[in-house]
Amino acid sequence: MGVTTLDVVRANTFVAEKLGQDVLATKVTVIGGHAGTTILPLLSQVPGGAFSDDDIAALTHRIQFGGDEVYRVTFREYVRKLVREGFWVEFFPEGGRSRSGKMLPPKLGMLSIILDAIRSGTTQDVKLVPIYVGYEQVIEERSYIAELSGAEKEREGITGLLKTTKVLWSRYGRLYVSFGEPLSVRDALDDSGVADLPSDHPDFQEWVRRMGYRVLDGIQQEALVTPSAVTSMALLMSVKRGVHREELIRRIGFILALTSSKKAPLSKTLEHAMKLHRQPIVEASEQLDEEGLSRLPLALGQTGPVAEARGMAAVDAVDEVLHRYIEGKHLTSHDFGNAIVYTVVPERRIHLDYYKNNIVHLVSPEAILATAYFGASRHGAPDDGTLRTAAYFLSVTFKYEFVYNPDGTFDELFDSILDSYFEAGILLRRVDPHDASVDRIVLADTAVARETMALLHEVLQPWLESYWLLTTGIRELIPETTDSMSVKDFIRETQKMAQHRYQVGDVRCTEAASSINFKHAIGAIESLGYIVQRQEGRDRLLMRAPRGENDVDPIPALAERLRTFFSH
């Protein structure tokens, strides 16, 4: 009748567990098919069963749909065996390869098994080694972009790779692998104070989450700055349609100076270029010293001599990337004789977005503060508290987009970044003319300050638009608390709506319609309690969260608040 051995094993295992007896002595007759509700365990015939109606309903459901549960138990024991016997175990803390080019929030299942193995005495210690794997050009770029644009994920495999003979004859640049500092689970556990807590205790689960982010932060620290990444970021930072070549090169130099100040490792290509042209960079730095100007990257933005020197040092590597983007029809070049202007093809921005995201973590704190200032200053210069509140809102809203060191606090990071803006002279403290006890934070009245803030704000613009589009989609597609829609259909319809909104000018970034961004936005808005997801068969349904008769719909207010951070 189609009953499988696994159906019988599940039935025997779960019934034995319920009765508290040896599974080998338990025999349950199972009839029917081999999928879901077609599986029928004859629980009334189990010797010594005497199950209540509720017991029968619960056990039947567990046996019918408990395949994942059996798999989890088996997998956990297998991993423990590997750990106990000292095997190396490789796993992706994000749950798989990132389609967006940046780190994703950690999936904690595998990590939980390993951490629990230490607590149970399976082994004395495990070292978690963060490993960064990066590409100058991703072979699967086209399929990744198709997925982000709404296409179904293609099955990966060597057969599919070999079918594409062009791949075997193409050059894809360098592959980078680097290893971070190993993390001792034993040391972290001894310092945590949660070693004796049960696995389902909130404090232990929070510790597991923090360990996951520590591993991701370790990987992030090893991420290399590549020519593709800096070129893509510089091109996508443009508020205008195009960018002059000279300005692009200086902007790349500014990004390199900013990432260098954070001690981010460079790819071999860029490292060699900086060494080869070290003298002009040193002379530019000395020029700043002689003129009494700050060496801080934010101080002179893309107009400073150091930015120009670093940009010119990287120009050969950058030209290779520009050539590749032009050949791939991601970019157009317009030669006007005395000037060259580069314009990103709107529909191809998402291709560049992947590479930009490789290094977006290096500038995201500055971008969040710049964006917070744009929003907080709409009605006048903000005080510290207003700016801090705006930055906190953005940090919480985009918590699934960026990975931070979990050992630091929001206030510590905010104060550090704000101080860097003050030191660079981009932001200034001024006494409120109406209240001498209040300091206002004002933008310096210089072209450099305005330009630098605009560039850094532009880094965050795609996510602002994504989350605004998502909230707009909720309003239009799920208007009432009684309405629901499958997540898959909702994302597809919201992507269609995004095309419409782009054409009428409500949004500027076509990459804002990324399915990954929408999925993260759904998670973030669900965590606010505004929407809920529910599994129904094979579909995951999205619906409004219940609210009282007199409660105000929070979605329009969220959409409006996101809109306040858009470029002025």
Side-chain angles (χ1 to χ4, degrees), residues 37-103:
T37 55
T38 64
I39 301 168
L40 183 61
L42 303 182
L43 299 177
S44 60
Q45 299 181 12
V46 176
F51 300 113
S52 67
D53 290 344
D54 287 343
D55 287 339
I56 290 175
L59 278 170
T60 299
H61 185 273
R62 192 178 180 195
I63 291 165
Q64 289 173 338
F65 299 101
D68 288 346
E69 187 175 350
V70 172
Y71 172 79
R72 285 196 297 269
V73 172
T74 304
F75 182 73
R76 182 175 67 243
E77 293 307 313
Y78 176 65
V79 173
R80 286 191 175 193
K81 171 179 166 54
L82 294 177
V83 170
R84 182 171 58 251
E85 296 181 5
F87 285 95
W88 288 78
V89 179
E90 176 191 12
F91 67 98
F92 295 90
E94 301 166 285
R97 294 177 66 181
S98 168
R99 262 62 180 167
S100 64
K102 63 181 176 63
M103 301 298 297

Side-chain angles (χ1 to χ4, degrees), residues 26 58 60 186 210 228 236 250 252 264 269 289 292 319 342 353 360 371 426 432 518 530 543:
T26 305
T60 299
R186 170 56 60 189
R210 291 175 67 84
S228 293
L236 294 180
R250 292 197 306 270
I252 288 170
T269 304
D289 293 339
D319 278 340
Y342 297 111
D353 191 61
V360 72
T371 304
I426 301 294
D432 188 318
F518 285 163
Y530 299 167
M543 60 197 71

Side-chain angles (χ1 to χ4, degrees), residues 249-412:
I249 298 303
R250 292 197 306 270
R251 188 177 300 167
I252 288 170
F254 167 59
I255 296 170
L256 287 171
L258 190 58
T259 57
S260 175
S261 70
K262 300 188 177 187
K263 297 180 169 49
L266 298 177
S267 69
K268 290 296 182 183
T269 304
L270 287 177
E271 184 180 27
H272 176 71
M274 295 303 114
K275 288 180 178 177
L276 190 64
H277 300 277
R278 181 177 179 275
Q279 191 57 37
I281 298 173
V282 170
E283 291 174 357
S285 299
E286 291 174 347
Q287 177 186 337
L288 292 179
D289 293 339
E290 292 173 1
E291 296 175 1
L293 299 175
S294 173
R295 286 196 186 191
L296 295 173
L298 291 176
L300 295 177
Q302 66 180 23
T303 62
V306 174
E308 184 173 3
R310 286 185 178 273
M312 290 305 298
V315 73
D316 289 343
V318 169
D319 278 340
E320 286 189 21
V321 177
L322 293 173
H323 176 74
R324 190 173 79 236
Y325 285 171
I326 293 170
E327 288 262 302
K329 301 189 186 309
H330 306 328
L331 189 71
T332 56
S333 175
H334 308 274
D335 191 341
F336 296 99
N338 62 342
I340 295 176
V341 174
Y342 297 111
T343 307
V344 179
V345 178
E347 295 76 15
R348 299 301 184 92
R349 285 178 61 97
I350 196 166
H351 290 259
L352 277 63
D353 191 61
Y354 178 93
Y355 296 102
K356 177 208 75 176
N357 284 345
N358 290 178
I359 60 169
V360 72
H361 62 281
L362 294 169
V363 299
S364 58
E366 286 81 3
I368 284 176
L369 195 142
T371 304
Y373 190 85
F374 267 84
S377 63
R378 281 186 175 271
H379 303 293
D383 58 15
D384 184 290
T386 303
L387 182 58
R388 190 180 299 265
T389 298
Y392 184 75
F393 167 78
L394 292 171
S395 295
V396 171
T397 301
F398 299 136
K399 64 183 178 181
Y400 296 129
E401 303 296 348
F402 307 114
V403 172
Y404 300 106
N405 182 347
D407 296 327
T409 67
F410 165 79
D411 285 322
E412 289 171 346

Side-chain angles (χ1 to χ4, degrees), residues 423-444:
E423 291 172 13
I426 301 294
L427 295 177
L428 308 170
R429 287 192 185 276
R430 292 289 183 264
V431 176
D432 188 318
H434 306 293
D435 186 349
S437 66
V438 177
D439 280 347
R440 296 291 175 182
I441 300 174
V442 301
L443 179 65

Side-chain angles (χ1 to χ4, degrees), residues 112-124:
S112 297
I113 294 172
I114 293 173
L115 299 182
D116 227 17
I118 307 297
R119 296 204 310 158
S120 66
T122 300
T123 187
Q124 179 60 29

